[in-house]
């Protein structure tokens, strides 16, 4: 029987104690089986959230989206998330869009999946709706923290598609995970690339 620090108050306690005699916290979660079950539960919850995000981001049947000719409105409707603070415009022959990934930032995995879903819906739609657009630039920002704990928003993922390249892709059949390789240009913040 060894002495270990309590995870709550830090006092030295027996490794076989059920509760800390100093602060009273239950130490039952130290059991290996329970920790594995919590880990599995966490994975299941994350998968469920990803599925919900994917289902909510599919706005192709939205009548407003089908009829809109305003680039900013199309971006807002595809994202379907006011907190994304999106801006989109046509600049010459380019569609330029910026938005925040904060509403999807549970993990870097959910952020990347959400971004790829948005790209798969936006790129073919923009090229179809705006025949003079020959290039799409999408910049998604994310919240980051430095080693001092300060939070800031900066570029998280940038992507560029040309009309020529996008025309070779079967968008209805696309595996969203391949979007980084299919894009003309793709950059992801190093902290998210793991």
């Amino acid at each position: 029987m060894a002495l270990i620090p309590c995870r709550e108050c830090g006092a030295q306690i027996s490794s076989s104690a059920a509760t800390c005699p100093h602060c009273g916290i239950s130490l039952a979660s130290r059991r290996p089986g329970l920790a594995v079950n919590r880990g599995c539960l966490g994975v299941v919850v994350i998968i469920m959230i990803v599925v919900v995000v994917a289902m909510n981001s599919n706005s192709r049947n939205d009548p407003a989206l089908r009829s809109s000719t305003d680039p900013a409105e199309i971006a807002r409707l595809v994202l379907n998330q006011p907190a994304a603070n999106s801006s989109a415009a046509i600049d010459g022959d380019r569609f330029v869009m910026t938005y925040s990934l904060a509403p999807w930032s549970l993990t870097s995995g959910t952020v990347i999946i959400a971004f790829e879903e948005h790209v798969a819906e936006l790129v073919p739609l923009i090229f179809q709706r705006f025949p003079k657009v020959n290039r799409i630039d999408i910049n998604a920002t994310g919240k980051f923290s430095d080693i001092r704990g300060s939070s800031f928003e900066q570029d998280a993922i940038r992507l560029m598609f040309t009309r020529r390249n996008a025309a070779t892709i079967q968008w209805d059949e696309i595996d969203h995970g391949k979007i980084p390789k299919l894009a003309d240009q793709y950059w992801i913040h190093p902290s998210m690339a793991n």
Side-chain angles (χ1 to χ4, degrees):
M1 188 167 52
L3 289 178
I4 60 169
C6 169
R7 71 171 187 269
E8 185 68 23
C9 69
Q12 292 293 312
I13 58 172
S14 168
S15 61
S16 61
T19 61
C20 175
H22 303 281
C23 68
I25 191 165
S26 172
L27 303 172
S29 66
R30 287 189 319 190
R31 294 183 305 226
L34 186 56
V36 170
N37 288 342
R38 283 189 180 165
C40 291
L41 178 61
V43 169
V44 168
V45 168
I46 289 172
I47 290 171
M48 289 172 47
I49 290 170
V50 168
V51 168
V52 169
V53 166
M55 287 171 41
N56 286 338
S57 70
N58 187 358
S59 55
R60 292 178 192 193
N61 295 326
D62 184 340
L65 181 60
R66 286 196 309 257
S67 63
S68 180
T69 57
D70 175 26
E73 181 182 28
I74 290 170
R76 280 191 303 274
L77 290 168
V78 167
L79 296 176
N80 195 24
Q81 184 59 259
N85 298 321
S86 65
S87 67
I90 295 180
D91 181 14
D93 70 342
R94 294 174 48 218
F95 171 85
V96 181
M97 177 179 168
T98 301
Y99 71 101
S100 171
L101 290 166
W104 300 276
S105 64
L106 180 64
T107 68
S108 62
T110 57
V111 165
I112 293 167
I113 289 169
F115 180 80
E116 291 167 354
E117 287 274 332
H118 302 148
V119 167
E121 190 166 354
L122 271 167
V123 170
L125 181 62
I126 295 300
F127 282 133
Q128 174 197 8
R129 196 73 47 92
F130 302 101
K132 293 184 179 179
V133 168
N134 287 313
R135 175 177 161 164
I136 294 175
D137 293 295
I138 300 175
N139 182 37
T141 62
K143 287 212 180 263
F144 295 89
S145 298
D146 63 18
I147 60 173
R148 291 175 183 82
S150 300
S151 291
F152 51 93
E153 185 134 346
Q154 72 177 40
D155 290 355
I157 309 174
R158 291 190 303 255
L159 167 138
M160 188 270 285
F161 267 102
T162 60
R163 178 179 292 277
R164 184 178 188 181
N165 179 22
T168 66
I169 299 169
Q170 298 294 321
W171 290 97
D172 291 337
E173 307 286 327
I174 192 167
D175 172 1
H176 298 159
K178 294 194 176 11
I179 285 177
K181 292 179 181 175
L182 294 169
D184 292 274
Q185 294 176 7
Y186 184 89
W187 176 86
I188 187 166
H189 192 279
S191 70
M192 296 174 57
N194 298 338

